[in-house]
Amino acid sequence: MYRLVRCLVFLLAVCAATIPVTAGADPGAQILDVRPLGGREFEVVVHSAAMNRPITLWMSHPGTGAPALYLLNAIDGGEDGGPWTRRTDVADFFADKNVNVIVPMSGRASYYTDWLDDDPVLGRNKWTTFLTKELPPLLGSRFGMTGRNAVAGLSMSATSALNLAIGAPGMYQAVGAYSGCPRTSDPAAIAYLHSQLAVFGANAGNMWGAPDNPAWAAHDPMLHVDRLRGLALYVSSGNGAPGVHETLGDVGIDGNPVRLLDRMLVGGVMETVIDGCTGPFVDRLAEAGIPATVNLRPAGTHAWSYWQDDLHQSWPLFAAALGA
């Protein structure tokens, strides 16, 4: 009998190890690990039930009783060129400020949104669910946050930040959109998004469906500016011309003339396109009587140095809204 029991236990263990975990068997969103990085910096790993995978976050935690600022990365999700923590002085800048800063260290080409279908390359993207429903209560409970939140993004994720605020009324008190194109549903914008995601092998049709799918319009900030009323808004872009950061000594150029040329040409063209989106969006806000702090730079390319400036310049606005 003892040998029979041992055999049954062994067989059950083998079956449990070989049967794939399904969505129905998922244990739910939970914090898997918190690893100190020194000072007030932490690496936090959170299991997303919606995406059925772990998401790693960088976090600056000042102690209990502080609000939260979520910073979203560019189109590579911080996985290739680097996240906020590598490309800016975010750790040093917030080292003495009473705010929790949270940076998801992934999200490549996802627009930090909930995709309608899984993508063969990117897999399952349910970032809206993760960022607005799963993550905040977990972090709030573990780190003693106040429940007041701000979100800011750059380039791709500038649109994401606006859409997160539009889709989750009351969750955020402030939003920053740095050098983003807040248009998604007109033919030119749809073509632009398809081309951007295709660089990473992803199909934007899996995100919001065919061009006539209502999901495109549902995620177009230009069509929903009224839902941003009452928030502290910061919106920025350059015009593509060389500006104060187009120098050999700038961070990211580091004396390399090839990098400088790339920033001036490629970054210049990209920011020119972005500026063409941002201007009409700012006009739409004004027409709707929605206040915003607007920084339409007279020069500047699509580069991290300008987004670091934006973060510094928008922080007083965010701090006031958050009660930081």
Side-chain angles (χ1 to χ4, degrees), residues 73-82 87 106-112 115 119-123 125 154-157 192-204 206-207 270 302 304:
N73 284 309
I75 195 166
D76 70 345
E79 300 170 32
D80 296 328
R87 305 298 290 271
S106 56
R108 172 199 306 256
S110 68
Y111 268 81
Y112 292 104
W115 286 42
D119 187 80
V121 173
L122 299 183
N125 283 306
L154 56 97
S155 193
M156 171 196 81
S157 66
Y192 173 76
L193 265 69
H194 271 274
S195 67
Q196 291 294 297
L197 270 57
V199 171
F200 294 86
N203 180 0
N206 292 321
M207 182 167 67
M270 290 181 68
H302 205 65
W304 278 93

Side-chain angles (χ1 to χ4, degrees), residues 239-258:
N239 68 357
V244 295
H245 291 299
E246 277 64 63
T247 66
L248 282 171
D250 196 69
V251 176
I253 302 299
D254 304 321
N256 188 325
V258 176

Side-chain angles (χ1 to χ4, degrees), residues 112-158:
Y112 292 104
T113 189
D114 281 2
W115 286 42
L116 298 180
D117 297 301
D118 292 353
D119 187 80
V121 173
L122 299 183
R124 178 163 299 172
N125 283 306
K126 296 292 181 181
W127 283 96
T128 297
T129 297
F130 177 68
L131 291 170
T132 64
K133 296 180 180 178
E134 294 182 331
L135 184 59
L138 291 173
L139 295 183
S141 176
R142 180 66 175 267
F143 294 97
M145 299 183 188
T146 64
R148 297 183 71 81
N149 305 289
V151 60
L154 56 97
S155 193
M156 171 196 81
S157 66

Side-chain angles (χ1 to χ4, degrees), residues 213-277:
N213 193 302
W216 289 92
H219 293 90
D220 190 335
M222 284 284 289
L223 304 180
H224 304 289
V225 294
D226 196 58
R227 298 186 190 176
L228 298 170
R229 192 179 303 276
L231 302 179
L233 298 176
Y234 179 97
V235 181
S236 72
S237 70
N239 68 357
V244 295
H245 291 299
E246 277 64 63
T247 66
L248 282 171
D250 196 69
V251 176
I253 302 299
D254 304 321
N256 188 325
V258 176
R259 292 180 184 174
L260 176 59
L261 184 63
D262 176 78
R263 182 182 290 187
M264 293 175 67
L265 296 180
V266 179
V269 170
M270 290 181 68
E271 195 70 1
T272 300
V273 173
I274 294 298
D275 195 44
C277 296

